[in-house]
Amino acid sequence: MPFDSILIVDWSGGNDRGPRPKSDAIWACVAREGNADEPKYFRNRQLAEQWITSYLQSESHAGRRVLAGFDFSFGFPVGFGHALTGSDDPLALWDWLEQHVQDGPSANNRFDLAGQINSRFPGIGPFWGNGLRRDIPHLPRKGSERTCDIFPEKRAAEASAKGAFPIWQLSGAGAVGSQVIMGLPMLARLRRALDVSVWPFEKCTSSVVLAEIWPSLVASAIRDTMPEHAIKDAHQVRCIALALSVLPSADLQRLIDVDYTPEGTILGLNAPELLENAIKSSALTPPPLRNDCFAMPQGAHWTPVDIALDHLRDHLQPVTGTEQCALGECIGRLLAHDVTALRSHPPAPNSAVDGYALAGPAPDGPTNLPLVDGRSAAGQPYPGHVPAGHAIRILTGANMPAGTDTVILQEDVNASDSAIAFHGPLKRGANARTAGEDMKKGEVILTAGRKITPGDLGMLAAAGVGTVTVHKRLRVGILSTGDELCEPGETADVGQIFDANRPMLNATVAGWGYEVIDLGRAADKREPLTKILNSAAQQCDVIISSGGASAGDEDHMSALLQGTGSFALWRIAMKPGRPLALGMWENTPVIGLPGNPVAAMVCALIFARPALQRMAGGRWERTEGYLLPAAFEKSKKAGRREYLRARVQDGKVQIFPSEGSGRVSGLSWATGLVELSDEAQVITPGDQVYFLPFGNFAK
């Protein structure tokens, strides 16, 4: 009984809760295959019902099945429904309540209706808990005031679920009665609007299955996985949605396979351990980076480029969660899990050419074969069996009919309406493709960490894959620091320069496929810089700054990171761009680049690119370059790696005339970098040099 989507709703019987998300309100969460959307907050029942109806309709129209769980009782203790409606059908009570409940964002008649229901029965009750200031006839404020005892206090489900409150309680801690009275009418309307089955009253055959849930059934697992400062109601709908979405089909079937009861029951009550284990396993999220992840071994001073890169590779890990992504929307995304073919490609043996299918091989010499009536065409396979010694007309891409395994080209055949003639020999299997020769069902076709390309989309589609699990897009904040900076287009004062780094880095990081958050410019003052970092840590997965990355008096970024106990100042043995400041700010990694534009760009390409790729969930891969002849002369000393702005002309590599890291025009002139290794070198025209095209950094 597979479900494509899980919807979990935490309902409320109260009035409008206002625009800001809060507890004791309405929360909903959708999960698919272990990936949950952000929980949605609804300030009142009207808005929630509109969204729920629209969501379920869209899923049904898309051909997806949904299990929708609601955290209130679907039935009442035995005898109540018949006494009120004259029917033993529990769904008749839903319709009755839908006809009698009056509901608005700021007022409803639930307490008055409960009093009217009580008046139908002898004594006082069964409902209690008048939550209004005014007295309501027949509705006591305390349960101890009731005298009506013709209905059980609890359903069988509540009696066996430790801590469950009776359905008759309308107000106070643990009250569920108001949720039921205000929730069942909404479910009744859903039944009229959609193809719905109600568990456990009906067979679960519809596109939408409604089920009763009770988060407190697995309260300890929810509590143990709840982040600090999280809203409990939001967290628990996400927990249960995730758990049900990852539950194996056999386990979910076990939860659903319960005996019919007119009282209804709680999903998972028969095996709560299955939900608990699923919650614990689905709650796994990427752990934060260690506070000392950037610390080099003690005594390190000038760090070679390769050592620095190896350190990042070994100490970084993915920092983003995962989500389901439709095939048409996942270009450039990073796979979180391996992808297996859902169908072999081709799914059946087929013809590679237009011709005639037969059972091979054909012997040397002239061959005549009678033709079977009909043909096999792509999308219109021949339904019958081709007898031995016969042939059949077949077109390119058509399934090979039963009894055939070989195709002869139509150009090699003389044909009439009833027979063909050709010269052999013809090998068995000629011009025919075998089933699964490209991809086999169940075969891994893409591995985790790969950035999805247009070619991948074609392969995934051919293998029947409609959605994949990808890492959520890495959110990268870009910040420039320095009193000397002003915005391009503004009037620059004496001593000011325009901020070239931020637009350059914004575009570079966006080109890598990440979500860029422009953090603006920060003056050389610690208090405003601290405020920017605090805000950035709440909305970014990584922060990249430029300027203030050294250890001078005005290098406030380095000073602030020093105060976190996570600061590492890497003096890289490279030119340009020696200082890199790295650290953690409220569990968010910070990469501090040099302030000079060329140094900032080179360090971003060489260090930030693979680091971000790793943290985004991708593979650690060095940028691919090419050996090409030099069109320049250059002498360098040993001890550091150098990167020269360069471009290719007439098959040879030219370099920009100046190596100054402030000459930003060289980045516009260049199409890539020449990388010169650490050892001493003398380059003369014609020598092979390693050229790294800028375009390869974006792959």
Side-chain angles (χ1 to χ4, degrees):
M1 183 176 297
F3 291 98
D4 301 293
S5 307
I6 306 293
L7 168 65
I8 299 298
V9 180
D10 188 307
W11 199 245
S12 172
N15 293 333
D16 190 295
R17 298 287 288 163
R20 298 185 63 182
K22 57 193 69 175
S23 58
D24 298 324
I26 301 174
W27 289 88
C29 187
V30 171
R32 302 177 183 88
E33 297 182 357
N35 299 282
D37 296 344
E38 287 298 314
K40 295 181 181 294
Y41 166 77
F42 299 98
R43 60 185 297 171
N44 58 53
R45 286 180 295 278
Q46 288 70 37
L47 293 175
E49 183 174 345
Q50 290 173 14
W51 181 87
I52 292 168
T53 304
S54 176
Y55 168 75
L56 294 178
Q57 286 174 336
S58 66
E59 290 292 273
S60 296
H61 292 161
R64 291 188 285 267
R65 296 194 73 221
V66 184
L67 175 62
F70 296 83
D71 74 328
F72 52 81
S73 305
F74 280 17
F76 281 79
V78 64
F80 178 75
H82 188 277
L84 197 61
T85 69
S87 171
D88 290 321
D89 181 2
L91 299 179
L93 185 55
W94 292 20
D95 295 333
W96 189 94
L97 287 171
E98 197 270 331
Q99 294 169 10
H100 291 81
V101 166
Q102 299 170 13
D103 192 15
S106 58
N108 61 75
N109 70 336
R110 69 184 190 275
F111 294 115
D112 292 288
L113 180 60
Q116 295 167 19
I117 293 173
N118 281 352
S119 69
R120 294 170 173 246
F121 307 119
I124 301 172
F127 286 107
W128 65 276
N130 177 11
L132 303 180
R133 291 184 178 181
R134 61 180 173 86
D135 290 335
I136 295 177
H138 307 288
L139 183 63
R141 297 186 181 275
K142 297 181 180 180
S144 58
E145 299 173 356
R146 293 177 299 164
T147 59
C148 176
D149 58 2
I150 59 176
F151 308 114
E153 180 69 0
K154 294 183 176 181
R155 300 182 302 164
E158 277 94 36
S160 59
K162 184 178 179 180
F165 284 72
I167 204 170
W168 310 118
Q169 183 178 344
L170 301 179
S171 64
V176 69
S178 287
Q179 290 177 266
V180 176
I181 292 176
M182 306 310 297
L184 291 181
M186 179 265 298
L187 296 185
R189 288 187 287 271
L190 286 180
R191 290 187 70 228
R192 289 201 302 271
L194 297 158
D195 175 28
V196 168
S197 299
V198 181
W199 177 88
F201 306 138
E202 300 172 318
K203 292 183 178 180
C204 301
T205 57
S206 302
S207 59
V208 176
V209 174
L210 307 180
E212 174 186 338
I213 58 139
W214 185 49
S216 294
L217 184 68
V218 286
S220 61
I222 291 174
R223 182 179 60 250
D224 292 344
T225 59
M226 187 163 65
E228 188 177 3
H229 306 307
I231 295 177
K232 179 183 176 182
D233 295 349
H235 176 65
Q236 65 188 14
V237 293
R238 185 177 187 275
C239 275
I240 295 176
L242 271 175
L244 290 171
S245 75
V246 301
L247 208 60
S249 296
D251 289 345
L252 184 55
Q253 189 66 51
R254 179 181 169 190
L255 300 186
I256 289 175
D257 285 342
V258 299
D259 294 334
Y260 170 84
T261 165
E263 293 185 325
T265 189
I266 300 164
L267 185 68
L269 184 60
N270 59 332
E273 69 280 0
L274 296 180
L275 274 179
E276 289 176 348
N277 293 335
I279 287 174
K280 293 174 182 177
S281 64
S282 63
L284 294 176
T285 57
L289 296 176
R290 290 171 55 90
N291 212 41
D292 61 352
C293 66
F294 297 121
M296 281 288 184
Q298 191 171 4
H301 185 59
W302 290 105
T303 304
V305 171
D306 288 339
I307 297 297
L309 289 172
D310 289 345
H311 186 93
L312 290 174
R313 180 196 62 204
D314 295 340
H315 290 79
L316 295 179
Q317 69 207 21
V319 298
T320 61
T322 62
E323 61 185 357
Q324 285 291 109
C325 191
L327 205 60
E329 301 172 352
C330 65
I331 185 69
R333 302 296 294 274
L334 294 166
L335 281 175
H337 303 304
D338 293 351
V339 180
T340 57
L342 300 181
R343 189 187 193 200
S344 294
H345 185 258
N350 66 54
S351 177
V353 297
D354 289 345
Y356 296 87
L358 51 98
D364 193 5
T367 300
N368 293 78
L369 294 176
L371 280 176
V372 171
D373 287 338
R375 69 171 190 171
S376 186
Q380 298 176 334
Y382 179 70
H385 184 279
V386 177
H390 289 67
I392 187 171
R393 176 67 169 152
I394 193 166
L395 303 182
T396 302
N399 286 1
M400 297 292 293
T404 68
D405 54 22
T406 304
V407 179
I408 184 168
L409 282 162
Q410 64 182 18
E411 293 86 350
D412 296 336
V413 170
N414 283 328
S416 68
D417 291 341
S418 60
I420 61 171
F422 61 91
H423 282 276
L426 185 65
K427 291 182 179 180
R428 185 187 304 276
N431 302 312
R433 307 183 184 106
T434 60
E437 72 174 24
D438 185 19
M439 295 175 283
K440 291 182 171 58
K441 181 179 179 179
E443 175 186 2
V444 174
I445 54 177
L446 289 177
T447 55
R450 181 179 176 86
K451 180 182 282 190
I452 298 173
T453 67
D456 294 338
L457 295 182
M459 181 175 67
L460 291 167
V465 178
T467 59
V468 292
T469 304
V470 297
H471 285 275
K472 293 182 178 179
R473 287 194 188 277
L474 193 73
R475 300 167 300 172
V476 183
I478 307 294
L479 172 68
S480 289
T481 66
D483 286 338
E484 75 278 14
L485 300 178
C486 67
E487 197 72 13
E490 296 178 351
T491 300
D493 294 334
V494 176
Q496 284 190 307
I497 60 174
F498 296 113
D499 182 7
N501 287 352
R502 209 169 85 253
M504 176 179 66
L505 294 173
N506 281 347
T508 299
V509 173
W512 293 340
Y514 308 126
E515 178 184 346
V516 172
I517 300 173
D518 191 337
L519 300 176
R521 303 187 317 278
D524 287 325
K525 295 180 177 60
R526 296 191 187 183
E527 183 177 349
L529 180 55
T530 299
K531 290 181 179 179
I532 291 174
L533 290 175
N534 287 341
S535 174
Q538 301 302 312
Q539 55 182 324
C540 303
D541 299 309
V542 188
I543 300 168
I544 295 179
S545 69
S546 62
S550 191
D553 292 342
E554 298 300 326
D555 291 322
H556 296 293
M557 176 63 73
S558 296
L560 287 173
L561 293 176
Q562 185 79 51
T564 67
S566 66
F567 175 68
L569 182 64
W570 290 7
R571 293 176 175 86
I572 309 296
M574 67 180 287
K575 178 184 177 181
R578 290 178 294 180
L580 278 182
L582 301 109
M584 305 292 294
W585 190 269
E586 295 185 358
N587 292 324
T588 302
V590 179
I591 301 175
L593 302 176
N596 283 327
V598 177
M601 185 63 165
V602 170
C603 285
L605 296 176
I606 303 303
F607 294 105
R609 174 194 174 270
L612 295 181
Q613 184 91 340
R614 183 76 160 187
M615 289 187 280
R619 301 169 182 166
W620 182 272
E621 294 175 336
R622 302 289 281 268
T623 303
E624 182 180 2
Y626 314 103
L627 287 172
L628 295 172
F632 62 91
E633 294 182 354
K634 165 75 177 175
S635 176
K636 74 170 289 290
K637 297 179 181 180
R640 64 179 180 178
R641 189 162 303 182
E642 294 191 17
Y643 293 92
L644 311 176
R645 284 152 286 173
R647 67 183 181 188
V648 178
Q649 186 170 351
D650 299 328
K652 296 181 180 181
V653 181
Q654 298 179 335
I655 60 172
F656 191 62
S658 171
E659 296 180 17
S661 61
R663 295 284 294 272
V664 69
S665 62
L667 291 172
S668 174
W669 174 90
T671 59
L673 300 174
V674 163
E675 181 183 70
L676 301 180
S677 56
D678 301 353
E679 61 270 10
Q681 297 180 56
V682 176
I683 307 295
T684 59
D687 290 343
Q688 297 287 300
V689 293
Y690 196 59
F691 179 71
L692 296 163
F694 286 145
N696 284 9
F697 287 97
K699 292 182 179 179

